[in-house]
Amino acid sequence: MFLAIIQRLWQMLFVMFGISVLVFLIFFATPGADPASRIAGRGASAEILEAVRKSFGLDQPIYVQYFTMMKKIFITGDLTSFVNRGWKVVPAVLDTIPVTISLVMGAAILWVVFSMIIGTVAAATKDSWLDRSLMILGLIGISMPVFWLGEVMNLVTQSRFHDTWMFSWVPPLGYKNFIDGPKAWFLTLVIPWITLAILYIGLYGRVLRANLIEAMQEDYVRTARAKGLSETRILLRHALRTSLISFVTLFGLDFGALVGGSALLTEVVFNLHGIGKLTYDALLNLDLPIIMTTVIFASFFVVMANAVVDVLYIILDPRVRKA
């Protein structure tokens, strides 16, 4: 087990190294992609371009530029923005991490809990009116774009009904640090949590229902029935455990991607300055150091999430453990 974990960590480092090299080459070594011309602006003279290359170290060999940038990101932490000189990238990224993690973790708790309830109840009442109603609600949740739902939530909670008893507790848009006040932190994130979770509740609930129905037809379930176990116990103790494998796979991919910046639309709608918003602003300005740092950050969380999923496979499925 220990050797397997070490091997997985080595694979993670190798993947992250490959991603960093690939992203660096895309922005710095692609034919026609000259960072100096982007920094200097249109119509810059050859002298200005040469001065910019020297100032930013772009006149060095490509491998020197790569290792210099990686050193500034991971060791010294003094990588600066190409657009705003003197603005250090790593502290800026680290400041956005608590915002995005707070948003995604809260939403993840909601969608995992409610999707498991919906999927299990729908599978237990297969083809009933309750099953159909839950699946219709799930389909509606999947069909609503996050940015549209977020604007509707803001319209209801911040404008139309903000002065009523129902939503008078909703604070203005923005983010409050947990250390400054847990209550204020919680209240500013409740509506964004719900908005982000609704899509995944519908998706995960439908996936879990399908897996449970399929699992209830397996041989080990028939054996459990032959032993006299109740349908409820078979569903919760046997079928649910193996059905969670694909559920966990989806969760690992989605959670890693959201923490890495895929929660951008939710952050923009609710004025949360997270990693997604930072990446979006950097892309508008083509601020390459910020883009590099945020992409590496995103890849770290995606790879980490997949590593956790591999461990959960072993816990959920004894067959994987034996292999």
Side-chain angles (χ1 to χ4, degrees):
M1 185 69 179
F2 178 75
L3 291 177
I5 294 175
I6 296 298
Q7 183 181 6
R8 195 67 180 87
L9 291 174
W10 171 252
Q11 291 174 355
M12 288 170 49
L13 292 175
F14 182 77
V15 170
M16 290 187 61
F17 170 73
I19 291 174
S20 67
V21 171
L22 181 61
V23 173
F24 179 84
L25 292 177
I26 289 174
F27 288 105
F28 287 86
T30 303
D34 184 8
S37 62
R38 296 174 182 175
I39 299 170
R42 293 183 178 179
S45 63
E47 292 79 9
I48 294 177
L49 288 174
E50 186 62 29
V52 169
R53 291 190 181 97
K54 187 173 182 180
S55 176
F56 287 90
L58 300 175
D59 57 340
Q60 300 292 323
I62 194 69
Y63 67 90
V64 175
Q65 295 182 42
Y66 170 78
F67 285 111
T68 300
M69 182 168 284
M70 294 303 107
K71 177 184 176 181
K72 290 182 177 181
I73 292 176
F74 293 105
I75 300 176
T76 61
D78 59 353
L79 181 66
T80 57
S81 167
F82 281 0
V83 177
N84 301 312
R85 293 300 303 269
W87 186 41
K88 292 188 176 181
V89 173
V90 175
V93 173
L94 292 177
D95 287 341
T96 63
I97 291 176
V99 181
T100 300
I101 289 182
S102 297
L103 171 64
V104 176
M105 286 194 68
I109 292 173
L110 290 179
W111 92 57
V112 167
V113 172
F114 284 98
S115 63
M116 288 186 66
I117 294 173
I118 289 174
T120 304
V121 171
T125 58
K126 178 187 174 185
D127 295 331
S128 67
W129 66 269
L130 181 58
D131 174 29
R132 295 188 181 94
S133 300
L134 291 174
M135 290 302 98
I136 290 173
L137 289 175
L139 186 60
I140 293 174
I142 297 172
S143 304
M144 291 190 293
V146 171
F147 64 88
W148 177 84
L149 180 60
E151 290 293 351
V152 171
M153 297 289 274
N154 283 338
L155 180 65
V156 172
T157 62
Q158 297 284 343
S159 180
R160 296 289 178 86
F161 300 100
H162 182 68
D163 296 330
T164 65
W165 63 271
M166 292 179 62
F167 300 110
S168 59
W169 54 269
V170 179
L173 298 179
Y175 177 77
K176 300 292 184 182
N177 289 319
F178 182 83
I179 58 176
D180 295 335
K183 182 179 179 180
W185 170 84
F186 178 82
L187 293 178
T188 56
L189 289 172
V190 168
I191 303 301
W193 284 343
I194 296 172
T195 302
L196 183 58
I198 284 178
L199 163 67
Y200 295 98
I201 290 173
L203 175 63
Y204 281 57
R206 293 175 67 89
V207 169
L208 183 59
R209 173 191 177 273
N211 290 338
L212 280 171
I213 292 175
E214 182 179 354
M216 292 298 285
Q217 310 300 321
E218 295 290 340
D219 292 338
Y220 66 88
V221 171
R222 296 191 185 97
T223 303
R225 287 195 183 104
K227 292 180 178 179
L229 298 180
S230 65
E231 288 294 317
T232 302
R233 184 173 181 180
I234 293 172
L235 180 67
L236 298 179
R237 293 288 299 275
H238 298 277
L240 181 60
R241 184 172 181 178
T242 55
S243 299
L244 286 176
I245 294 177
S246 58
F247 187 98
V248 167
T249 302
L250 281 176
F251 179 81
L253 295 173
D254 289 332
F255 185 85
L258 286 171
V259 174
S262 294
L264 164 65
L265 294 177
T266 308
E267 292 175 359
V268 171
V269 170
F270 292 100
N271 195 29
L272 301 172
H273 295 282
I275 193 71
K277 183 66 165 58
L278 180 66
T279 306
Y280 175 73
D281 293 339
L283 287 169
L284 291 179
N285 298 319
L286 287 176
D287 200 342
L288 301 183
I290 295 180
I291 296 172
M292 278 285 301
T293 307
T294 54
V295 169
I296 292 173
F297 166 81
S299 67
F300 170 78
F301 268 93
V302 172
V303 173
M304 277 293 296
N306 280 276
V308 173
V309 166
D310 290 343
V311 175
L312 290 177
Y313 279 165
I314 300 174
I315 297 173
L316 291 172
D317 194 346
R319 295 170 297 181
V320 177
R321 206 176 310 160
K322 293 176 181 177

